[in-house]
Amino acid sequence: MSSPSPSATRSRSPIGLAIGVGAAAFALRLIGIDYNGPFTDESYYAYAAEDGNVDNIIGEAYLWPLLAGVTHGLGGVVASRVVTALFGAATCVFVFWAARAIGRRVAFDGEAERTGTLAGTAAAVLCATAGSTFYISRFATYDAPAVMLLAAGFCALAYGVESGARGTLLLAAALAVLSAMTRYMAILYLPVGIAYAIGRALVVGRPVRVLLWFVAPLTVLAAGYWAFAHGHIRAAIAHAERADAGKVGGTLAQLTRSTHQLVGTAFSALLLVGFVAVLVRAVRRRSLPIALDAGFLLCAAALVVVHHAYRESGFSFHKNLATGIVFGAMLAGLGFAALTVRIVARGRGGVVAAAAVVLIVGVTTFVGQRRVTAGHERYWPDYRPVIAMAAAANVGPEPKVFATRGDLAVALRPALGRGVDQAFPWFLPTPMHVLRTAGEQNVDLVVGPVFSRRFALGDVVHGYAVTGMCDTPRTKLRCYRFERARRRVVVARDAADVPTPFGAAATDRTVVVVPARDVSGAPVRITQIGVRVSGTGEWSAERFRIRLAHGDEAGARDVPITVFDDALRVAAGAAGRWVPLRFAVAFGHDGVQPLRIEIEYARAAPSVALAIESRVGEPRLALRLDHAFLLRPARVSASRGERVALHVATGRAGLGYRIGAALSSAPRDVAGVTIGLGDDPLARASATPTPPTYENFVGFTKPDGRADAAFTVPDVPSLEGATIYFAALVFDGDRAIAATNTCALRIE
């Protein structure tokens, strides 16, 4: 058997070398990739495709939003960063092959194969360790895939022009346009690529083929993309200009210094050596094509710097520079080849020496650049503890959420769904304004840092209970979780009926109502109000609210009272004792006018309790009147054909009620009362309820002030995934007096 020829050996070895450099680049990017919580853009792309990808932060970008939605669902932001790290490693491989193709044409000392291999290896190593390319390939946004596609497109172009392969040229055109569709900055390189392709085509004698199979497809695809998305591209550029307004860093001198910081000294020096060496080689050989290669690589490397200097903008320069580094690394690789090709020609010792040099260059560049990129990876707050705290809230599916900071709102959206508000209310001046506004808009959860006040677990403010708190790493932002307090109403006939607060959940507030008259109409004599202690703990006036109203429920007006704070503190060891609540009323009760007393209290520490009863096969919804201190809107799930129980509680006997159902909870006015049910076909069908779908949807409350009804989910496939909303109108005679809260039932 004959041994393989030297040429065959040489043709196989670069493949293993390219794969080795790519694998090393990928391994470097995986080190500490979970360096911080998700940045705003990283979180946004996790759901951008779901929302229609209309955010003008970047314009109409493609590919990455689709990938990010999948990868984020598999493993969060870390999984998305692993994918961008893979794109970054692939970029290094494409840079290797493109630099090798150019190096073989330059052929220092007539050594085409050695020049190509040395140039490709050094270019890939520098691309792998330069700060900008390293940073974007550990950052879960569109930058890494766009740069990878650009490098792949140029690699295909470099080989396609030389070989004349029509498929390779067409692939180069498609990759270039796809890169521009992924990141609008790549649009800058389309005309430069066309100029390079035409120049090289004239040199190799294939202008017609290159025009037909690269320039024409590229022009058509790019024109179509511009016609479809030019509005978003302009909006993205305008956003960048607005974001950079008032910032420094946009002059040519400043951008040049930033470039040096983001690539390192070795990279900059080798780039200059490469440009000079290639020009000298072109002059000596009187070769215009070699000069064309040097000029193209230098122009492509400097294009991003010139673009930002022209716009006097430093916005996102540390990321955009990666496109220039791809071409600058090729030129720097040629500089390395010019310095080492003679050393390698001396034999095995020379190869080892060159490998040691390129390894030293790579390590020193990487170590120096990590000092720069580490700062870019840690300048935003790490919201991971806050996201985990919010996700653990007992708010049910699809909650409505306010975040006290805009970047936190975007970070919460992948974990909590569409209900996270992204534009409100972080401009409100104080947390009290935020919580008051949240209550007005029926928000379930408020999360984030507040700066003008500190809270404790169990505090209840404007209807929201503090159920969690944590600090963000490094920045030490104290963040709170405010859950909308669920109220339960208890009608007490005497002091013994007043329940103890110790069985309530962290977000429960219990309102004890002592009515002026009982169900028979006889006056109720109020002798004492208090709590029967079933545990230990300390209670303060802040966690109690006592309200006295003069008059009945419809015409009640507040009466001033004084609460003795010491009476609201339960000492340790008081379990099983009756602790009266002492207060003074500012007027004398004559026993003639009705007097209504409401006592509200909240638990100081978390405990486990069910606010909504639910059993397998029979989920239950509770509908309660707004004026009777409601449970928060309930959300449960049911399947087609399942029977769901509904319970109306009014606190008064003999009141009429009518339950309605709808496919939306948009508020509307019905009989002079606002009810949270939209006007749709389901709402109109439930207006004339018929069994078995609608049971007891119309009737009167029983002596205990309650009524029971049921809804059987129709066995209709189109209902799967839909949400049905329920609410009830309550009537006193023929007059509608109130509407209940709206409950949600999701059909699984």
Side-chain angles (χ1 to χ4, degrees):
M1 179 182 291
S2 61
S3 60
S5 64
S7 60
T9 304
R10 287 194 299 267
S11 65
R12 285 199 304 267
S13 58
I15 297 176
L17 188 58
I19 294 175
V21 173
F26 183 59
L28 282 178
R29 281 151 174 75
L30 293 181
I31 298 174
I33 200 167
D34 191 16
Y35 52 82
N36 199 349
F39 182 63
T40 302
D41 290 1
E42 292 181 300
S43 297
Y44 168 71
Y45 285 111
Y47 60 85
E50 178 185 351
D51 273 9
N53 194 33
V54 295
D55 196 295
N56 282 334
I57 291 178
I58 49 84
E60 191 75 16
Y62 298 88
L63 180 63
W64 179 245
L66 299 175
L67 290 175
V70 175
T71 57
H72 202 283
L74 294 175
V77 69
V78 173
S80 298
R81 288 174 182 167
V82 169
V83 173
T84 56
L86 190 60
F87 286 137
T91 301
C92 299
V93 175
F94 289 122
V95 166
F96 174 91
W97 289 109
R100 178 175 180 269
I102 296 175
R104 292 173 70 184
R105 290 199 295 268
V106 174
F108 292 116
D109 290 345
E111 295 285 350
E113 195 65 36
R114 286 174 179 160
T115 301
T117 301
L118 288 170
T121 303
V125 168
L126 290 171
C127 183
T129 56
S132 185
T133 49
F134 184 83
Y135 171 72
I136 66 166
S137 56
R138 288 161 50 89
F139 196 56
T141 60
Y142 47 79
D143 300 279
V147 172
M148 186 272 291
L149 290 168
L150 184 65
F154 177 70
C155 183
L157 178 63
Y159 282 91
V161 172
E162 301 303 316
S163 66
R166 291 173 291 186
T168 307
L169 291 171
L170 190 59
L171 176 63
L175 289 171
V177 175
L178 189 57
S179 174
M181 294 173 65
T182 305
R183 177 74 163 109
Y184 73 89
M185 181 61 65
I187 294 174
L188 291 173
Y189 288 88
L190 299 185
V192 179
I194 291 174
Y196 175 77
I198 294 174
R200 287 298 306 172
L202 292 173
V203 170
V204 299
R206 297 189 182 93
V208 176
R209 176 164 292 197
V210 171
L211 287 173
L212 288 177
W213 293 97
F214 176 75
V215 177
L218 177 65
T219 304
V220 171
L221 292 173
Y225 170 57
W226 177 260
F228 178 71
H230 66 276
H232 290 284
I233 296 171
R234 289 175 176 173
I237 295 173
H239 168 78
E241 292 174 347
R242 289 193 303 270
D244 200 63
K247 296 180 182 178
V248 298
T251 67
L252 183 59
Q254 291 168 329
L255 292 170
T256 302
R257 286 195 296 270
S258 297
T259 301
H260 179 70
Q261 292 173 353
L262 289 166
V263 298
T265 302
F267 190 111
S268 302
L270 288 174
L271 186 146
L272 293 176
V273 170
F275 180 69
V276 173
V278 174
L279 282 185
V280 170
R281 179 68 171 165
V283 171
R284 288 180 176 177
R285 293 180 58 181
R286 298 180 181 180
S287 173
L288 182 60
I290 294 178
L292 176 65
D293 288 331
F296 167 76
L297 291 177
L298 184 64
C299 290
L303 184 58
V304 172
V305 180
V306 173
H307 168 73
H308 278 269
Y310 174 76
R311 289 178 45 222
E312 297 182 349
S313 166
F315 181 74
S316 292
F317 179 72
H318 64 294
K319 296 192 296 181
N320 294 339
L321 183 63
T323 54
I325 287 177
V326 166
F327 300 96
M330 298 180 196
L331 196 53
L334 290 171
F336 179 82
L339 296 174
T340 58
V341 67
R342 292 187 179 180
I343 299 175
V344 173
R346 296 176 181 176
R348 186 180 299 273
V351 173
V352 173
V357 172
V358 76
L359 183 62
I360 292 171
V361 169
V363 170
T364 55
T365 302
F366 176 73
V367 172
Q369 290 303 292
R370 283 304 290 145
R371 298 174 183 173
V372 178
T373 57
H376 287 296
E377 293 176 347
R378 288 174 171 79
Y379 71 87
W380 65 88
D382 185 352
Y383 284 129
R384 284 175 292 186
V386 187
I387 296 171
M389 179 177 69
N394 184 25
V395 292
E398 300 181 6
K400 188 173 183 181
V401 182
F402 274 177
T404 60
R405 287 178 55 140
D407 55 348
L408 176 58
V410 180
L412 287 172
R413 168 64 192 278
L416 298 182
R418 289 176 176 269
V420 179
D421 196 292
Q422 298 186 42
F424 186 81
W426 43 85
F427 58 84
L428 293 174
T430 68
M432 315 307 288
H433 287 84
V434 172
L435 295 171
R436 186 183 300 116
T437 305
E440 293 170 355
Q441 300 196 17
N442 296 320
V443 172
D444 298 307
L445 184 68
V446 179
V447 181
V450 296
F451 302 103
S452 58
R453 181 173 173 180
R454 297 188 73 84
F455 297 95
L457 283 174
D459 287 351
V460 178
V461 185
H462 290 298
Y464 288 85
V466 179
T467 62
M469 62 179 66
C470 66
D471 292 333
T472 59
R474 296 191 318 275
T475 53
K476 300 301 180 184
L477 287 175
R478 172 58 58 89
C479 296
Y480 297 93
R481 181 181 67 198
F482 299 90
E483 293 186 50
R484 191 174 187 183
R486 300 184 294 271
R487 297 173 182 250
R488 57 185 176 130
V489 179
V490 179
V491 177
R493 303 308 175 198
D494 54 37
D497 290 337
V498 180
T500 172
F502 285 96
T507 55
D508 282 349
R509 289 184 298 168
T510 299
V511 177
V512 180
V513 178
V514 182
R517 297 179 182 274
D518 61 20
V519 293
S520 65
V524 174
R525 182 183 179 189
I526 303 170
T527 58
Q528 191 180 36
I529 299 295
V531 295
R532 192 171 301 279
V533 181
S534 61
T536 59
E538 186 176 275
W539 301 83
S540 67
E542 185 176 276
R543 295 188 176 92
F544 274 89
R545 185 174 68 85
I546 299 180
R547 174 178 178 263
L548 273 66
H550 210 184
D552 57 18
E553 288 86 346
R557 59 185 185 275
D558 288 348
V559 175
I561 64 171
T562 300
V563 178
F564 296 98
D565 183 67
D566 60 338
L568 300 180
R569 298 187 180 276
V570 180
R577 290 174 44 198
W578 168 260
V579 181
L581 304 180
R582 297 188 294 116
F583 51 87
V585 183
F587 71 99
H589 178 44
D590 54 14
V592 177
Q593 289 182 303
L595 184 64
R596 177 183 174 88
I597 300 178
E598 299 173 359
I599 305 172
E600 180 180 337
Y601 50 82
R603 186 167 166 77
S607 66
V608 178
L610 290 177
I612 302 174
E613 237 181 277
S614 180
R615 287 198 298 260
V616 176
E618 191 183 1
R620 310 175 100 186
L621 298 174
L623 302 180
R624 296 178 182 270
L625 291 177
D626 283 340
H627 69 266
F629 303 99
L630 302 172
L631 285 165
R632 66 176 178 82
R635 292 181 175 90
V636 297
S637 300
S639 304
R640 288 186 290 145
E642 196 168 359
R643 186 175 182 270
V644 179
L646 301 100
H647 306 278
V648 180
T650 67
R652 290 176 57 186
L655 291 178
Y657 70 91
R658 177 183 289 273
I659 303 175
L663 294 174
S664 73
S665 58
R668 60 188 175 101
D669 188 82
V670 178
V673 175
T674 300
I675 188 170
L677 289 179
D679 186 9
D680 52 47
L682 181 60
R684 291 189 285 273
S686 65
T688 56
T690 56
T693 303
Y694 309 98
E695 298 178 31
N696 299 327
F697 266 46
V698 179
F700 295 91
T701 57
K702 295 178 290 188
D704 63 355
R706 297 173 179 271
D708 298 325
F711 174 78
T712 301
V713 181
D715 191 12
V716 178
S718 60
L719 283 178
E720 289 187 3
T723 300
I724 298 178
Y725 298 88
F726 299 92
L729 285 174
V730 180
F731 298 83
D732 189 0
D734 294 330
R735 181 174 63 90
I737 60 173
T740 68
N741 62 297
T742 301
C743 294
L745 174 68
R746 181 171 178 81
I747 311 302
E748 300 293 348

